[in-house]
Amino acid sequence: MKWIYVVAVIALYLKMLVFPNPSVDAAELSMVELVVEDSGVANAVSGIIFRNRLYDTIFEVVVFTIAIMGVRFLLADEQPSCTIYQFTDDPSIVLARLGATIAALISIELAIRGHLSPGGGFAAGVAGGTAIGLVAITSSSRWMEAIYKRWRAATLEKVSVLIFIVIAVLSLIGLQLPHGELGSLVSGGWIPLLNILVAIKVALGAWAAILVFIRYRGLL
């Protein structure tokens, strides 16, 4: 039976090589233009996520919050791991922290300019969580937890979710900020702020999950 899957993969690969993608017709172009005009942002994907599909996006954020709570709940009864596996050699530490710096800068860029170019709050949060994870595998777990508590990251995560829901509800009932000039940093009404809030929520949620897995599993 395995040969059937091999043939299917080869056929799909040949299809992508031989047959070009269908050209985008005028109707599809006009739909993208309508989304951009309606949302006031150059990135039509952000316009759809934070305006046309905002009701769905609210529950996506809530589901992510519940997932982080579930991780803490499921591992709460386990004994903390006695051994924590981390990078100890200098080359790995330097490369991991360099990667963390790059990922953090990308996260900030995607959060601030996600409504103008490819990216957005969810992608920014993933990049931020990646940066935190790279730091975690090269640093003391106690130090990471101390910073998490010092910055009140758990509280900030919950506050960002609440503010996101409030702004989303205001947007859904029709209370919108001015769109501003299309293509400028301050444009799209609530969308840039929603992008930043989602980025904060996803990054801090990933941080919480990483700390829990380090504490109870000893690895990421």
Side-chain angles (χ1 to χ4, degrees):
M1 295 295 293
K2 292 182 179 180
W3 64 270
I4 297 178
Y5 298 106
V6 175
V7 172
V9 171
I10 295 175
L12 178 61
Y13 180 71
L14 292 176
K15 183 266 178 188
M16 291 188 295
L17 289 178
V18 177
F19 299 100
N21 292 329
S23 58
V24 180
D25 56 22
E28 291 174 336
L29 282 176
S30 62
M31 183 63 67
V32 174
E33 292 173 354
L34 286 174
V35 171
V36 171
E37 182 180 356
D38 181 57
S39 61
V41 296
N43 184 354
V45 176
S46 292
I48 292 173
I49 292 175
F50 292 112
R51 187 173 175 87
N52 301 71
R53 288 184 59 251
L54 182 56
Y55 187 78
D56 296 336
T57 306
I58 293 175
F59 288 96
E60 289 174 4
V61 173
V62 173
V63 165
F64 185 84
T65 303
I66 295 174
I68 299 301
M69 294 172 61
V71 171
R72 293 175 176 172
F73 176 77
L74 290 175
L75 296 178
D77 294 333
E78 295 195 13
Q79 294 296 326
S81 176
C82 298
T83 305
I84 298 177
Y85 300 93
Q86 294 177 313
F87 290 151
T88 56
D89 57 300
D90 291 337
S92 297
I93 293 175
V94 171
L95 289 176
R97 292 184 178 179
L98 175 61
T101 302
I102 296 173
L105 293 175
I106 292 174
S107 175
I108 296 172
E109 169 72 11
L110 293 176
I112 295 177
R113 298 177 54 85
H115 60 297
L116 304 178
S117 60
F122 290 100
V126 171
T130 301
I132 294 171
L134 289 172
V135 173
I137 61 178
T138 61
S139 305
S140 167
S141 59
R142 293 182 179 179
W143 179 75
M144 291 291 296
E145 289 193 18
I147 293 180
Y148 184 82
K149 294 178 180 178
R150 185 189 311 162
W151 290 359
R152 303 183 183 275
T155 302
L156 182 59
E157 178 192 356
K158 295 178 177 63
V159 170
S160 65
V161 174
L162 293 176
I163 295 176
F164 177 89
I165 293 175
V166 170
I167 293 178
V169 170
L170 292 177
S171 179
L172 288 173
I173 65 177
L175 297 177
Q176 295 288 339
L177 293 178
H179 279 181
E181 183 181 354
L182 181 65
S184 64
L185 189 61
V186 184
S187 61
W190 295 113
I191 292 179
L193 184 56
L194 292 175
N195 257 330
I196 295 174
L197 290 171
V198 170
I200 293 173
K201 193 290 171 277
V202 174
L204 295 181
W207 191 355
I210 288 170
L211 291 180
V212 171
F213 277 111
I214 291 176
R215 184 185 307 123
Y216 294 106
R217 291 286 190 253
L219 46 83
L220 301 181

